[in-house]
Amino acid sequence: MQIVSLKDTPLDFRVGVAKELGCEVDSDGIHLVKAGERALDPYSKEPLRLDNIAVLPGSVVLLDNNPVSIAWYLEVHGDIL
């Protein structure tokens, strides 16, 4: 499995990925927004930042690029590997 960090990709690419996954960028230009609220990592409950998101294979979930979120994702969705 390869974790795809978007951290080193161009800004317009990250914005495009976020939009494809149903998020917008907040007026601060840093945080992601979904349904009018700041988007949260489903595992760590931290606000998703445009400069620190990761997409895992087979997912349509944006995660904060940190070990806790990735470990929880694998625990819940390990069967997709």
Side-chain angles (χ1 to χ4, degrees):
M1 179 188 80
Q2 180 179 358
I3 297 168
V4 180
S5 173
L6 302 180
K7 195 173 200 169
D8 297 324
T9 62
L11 177 61
D12 58 333
F13 180 79
R14 284 178 274 152
V15 170
V17 169
K19 285 184 178 184
E20 285 294 318
L21 294 174
C23 292
E24 297 292 328
V25 180
D26 201 352
S27 60
D28 64 8
I30 297 171
H31 295 94
L32 299 181
V33 175
K34 191 168 192 168
E37 300 289 330
R38 279 200 175 159
L40 300 178
D41 178 289
Y43 305 105
S44 70
K45 305 301 183 209
E46 292 294 319
L48 291 173
R49 296 174 50 100
L50 187 58
D51 64 348
N52 195 36
I53 54 177
V55 179
L56 278 69
S59 87
V60 291
V61 177
L62 287 169
L63 299 175
D64 185 68
N65 189 18
N66 71 64
V68 172
S69 294
I70 293 167
W72 271 106
Y73 178 88
L74 293 174
E75 179 73 24
V76 174
H77 300 285
D79 59 327
I80 67 166
L81 303 176

